[in-house]
Amino acid sequence: MYKKILVGTDGSSTASEAVARAVEVAKVTGARLTILTAGRPPTAQLVVDRAAAAYADAGVEIDTMVAGRDAATALVDAADAGDYDLLVVGNKGMTGASRFFLGSVPNKVSHHVSRSLLIVRTT
């Protein structure tokens, strides 16, 4: 079903729930998982390294990626460039009126990604 899965995280506890779900899906399907965060090294690298380390014994092949631009663009571009089968993000920020005016990462991603998208309920 899935061979390559991409999950976005910002290191928050809610984003960790999306990472956990991505690990579950990767394990069940035998997919390779990439954990991506947007930000500046070395802080951003620490975020993905911690996320990957938390699942080192999960039986899933995990890669990490850091992008130095906004999260939504980074996720959409990486999903396309890496030919991922599934993109996983958390839903935080998708509720309330602000999502219509400010736009959250999952909201932006859902409108622009050309891959299957799993939005994990984290709030």
Side-chain angles (χ1 to χ4, degrees), residues 92-108:
K92 185 172 173 111
M94 286 193 70
T95 58
S98 66
R99 75 180 170 120
F100 297 109
F101 301 108
L102 302 176
S104 66
V105 170
N107 190 33
K108 288 178 183 176

Side-chain angles (χ1 to χ4, degrees), residues 13-65:
S13 60
T14 53
S16 295
E17 292 180 42
V19 173
R21 181 65 55 84
V23 169
E24 289 175 17
V25 174
K27 187 170 186 169
V28 168
T29 62
R32 180 182 194 118
L33 178 66
T34 300
I35 303 172
L36 180 144
T37 195
R40 295 183 184 174
T43 305
Q45 190 63 52
L46 287 172
V47 168
V48 292
D49 288 348
R50 286 182 185 141
Y55 297 97
D57 296 331
V60 174
E61 192 170 344
I62 300 175
D63 297 315
T64 62
M65 185 184 307

Side-chain angles (χ1 to χ4, degrees), residues 3 9 26 31 63-64 66 87 95-96 103 106 114-115:
K3 293 179 182 171
T9 185
D63 297 315
T64 62
V66 173
L87 173 57
T95 58
S114 62
R115 310 290 168 175

